Amino acid sequence: MSEARDNEGLVYIETGDGSITLADYETGEWYHNSAGAFKESLVNYAEPAIALLGAEKYPGAIALLDICFGMGYNTFTFIEALMQTDLPASTIQNLSIKAVEIDKSLIPAMIKTLEQPVYPILKSSGLNLAIVEMLRELLKNGTCQGRVSMIPQGVSSIDRIDFEICFDDLRLSLPALLAEEKHCYDLIFHDPFSPRKFPQFWTLDIFSIYRRLLKEKSGKLFTYSVADAVRSALALAGFSVYRTRALGRKTGGTLAVADATGSNSFGLNLIPKELPGLFQFSPELFFVLDENELEKLTPRQAVPYRDPGLSLDRAAILRNRQNEQDLLSQES
Ligand SMILES: C[S@@+](CC[C@H](N)C(=O)[O-])C[C@H]1O[C@@H](n2cnc3c(N)ncnc32)[C@H](O)[C@@H]1O
């Protein structure tokens, strides 16, 4: 796989499907699955989200929260795929997307991502250019928030698109989001670096806030992680948990539907064996957790990462989880 450094010092790596990614400076962890950055955004996020929206006959207004926006693949691929879906005129009157990302130095990478040939409709609709201009303006004027609001050209199915990006720390931004946008979102794409290296972004406390940001019953969260601590935290926060399609060497991702009731004690019955009856699921996109996955979710493995004040560091979160697991072992 080839690497190329641009003028800003960002080192781009070509992934398996020809699309580019970056590596995290501190940990060396790649931003995307080596099988394909574009493919990952399609398989883990855009494709299953659109299939579920389609099963619900597409709500007239769709609100998406894209957490850890990075190079922007998840949002860009979602919009592109939605625009390529054959829908009657004005099916979606408003598509509004809010993105949260801490690192402003990624703006050139966002622009570079948009310029790839995988986004032809974003380009022809004028959205591509509008977002690039907004991002360039952000770089110039130093502000931390940018917004684009437009009627996409030549796209009849989506009347209006509002896109907003906030450069902020995820954990600091959540309380304000919750105060202003309770039960507003149809979708959350959750894409931080891995739970092992950054447990602070995979806590029961963050997922509980997401549960309240999502629309009751119909809201959905997508993530690439299949970690036991993540799935159990989602179940404890009041989500039903499913697996999404595998990509590359990974066994799949996770879909969490905001239709269950949380519980203080982890119970495997929170993960239903059947998919919600209303949806026409495509069997290739979603799976109930199989025996293997359920067996792995022992009470010990299911202890979630906790961070009630949204302020603990990695070491404290890992230590507290270990202590909780040790207590469980002593009790049994
Ligand atoms: C796996 S990458 C995301 C890839 C991205 N979704 C995409 O499609 O390109 C993880 C991202 O989390 C961001 N991040 C790290 N710490 C953060 C924080 N405290 N708040 C918000 N974003 C953070 C990183 O800057 C990085 O862009």
Side-chain angles (χ1 to χ4, degrees), residues 127-323:
L127 187 61
N128 182 326
L129 191 62
I131 293 177
V132 168
E133 276 173 4
M134 178 269 285
L135 291 172
R136 290 215 169 106
E137 191 55 35
L138 275 187
L139 262 187
K140 225 174 17 178
N141 65 24
T143 49
C144 285
Q145 212 158 348
R147 188 192 290 263
V148 164
S149 194
M150 71 172 294
I151 296 166
Q153 301 305 303
V155 178
S156 60
S157 57
I158 305 175
D159 292 348
R160 175 159 216 96
I161 297 186
D162 295 312
F163 171 70
E164 185 183 353
I165 183 160
C166 308
F167 287 95
D168 198 358
D169 184 306
L170 166 61
R171 290 190 292 177
L172 296 181
S173 67
L174 283 176
L177 269 178
L178 188 58
E180 288 159 20
E181 296 175 347
K182 206 165 178 187
H183 297 305
C184 281
Y185 286 95
D186 299 280
L187 303 168
I188 294 180
F189 293 167
H190 181 72
D191 197 8
F193 292 122
S194 69
R196 221 159 17 98
K197 291 193 176 140
F198 294 88
Q200 61 270 36
F201 302 132
W202 301 90
T203 59
L204 171 58
D205 311 275
I206 287 185
F207 295 144
S208 300
I209 291 177
Y210 286 170
R211 178 70 172 80
R212 284 176 279 155
L213 285 170
L214 284 166
K215 289 183 181 161
E216 191 60 43
K217 304 273 179 226
S218 63
K220 290 159 204 82
L221 174 146
F222 296 87
T223 185
Y224 67 90
S225 176
V226 295
D228 298 333
V230 169
R231 284 182 164 170
S232 62
L234 285 164
L236 282 170
F239 289 92
S240 306
V241 181
Y242 307 93
R243 175 169 23 95
T244 51
R245 201 147 75 81
L247 174 64
R249 277 173 295 160
K250 300 207 68 172
T251 50
T254 295
L255 153 69
V257 184
D259 64 355
T261 1
S263 157
N264 286 332
S265 62
F266 180 72
L268 289 180
N269 58 346
L270 286 173
I271 299 173
K273 296 251 189 258
E274 299 297 328
L275 298 169
L278 281 179
F279 304 142
Q280 293 299 309
F281 281 87
S282 155
E284 294 90 39
L285 292 179
F286 313 98
F287 309 87
V288 286
L289 300 192
D290 63 25
E291 292 299 314
N292 265 346
E293 289 167 299
L294 290 173
E295 262 169 31
K296 276 200 322 162
L297 282 168
T298 60
R300 201 183 142 80
Q301 282 305 101
V303 172
Y305 300 116
R306 296 183 196 272
D307 178 18
L310 300 180
S311 59
L312 291 177
D313 64 17
R314 173 179 190 267
I317 293 172
L318 292 178
R319 194 173 54 244
N320 291 345
R321 179 169 189 254
Q322 185 63 54
N323 289 342

Side-chain angles (χ1 to χ4, degrees), residues 31 67-70 99-106 110 144 165-172 193 201:
Y31 280 49
I67 296 292
C68 294
F69 184 75
V100 180
E101 167 58 53
I102 199 166
D103 187 357
K104 233 177 151 182
S105 74
L106 290 174
M110 296 170 192
C144 285
I165 183 160
C166 308
F167 287 95
D168 198 358
D169 184 306
L170 166 61
R171 290 190 292 177
L172 296 181
F193 292 122
F201 302 132

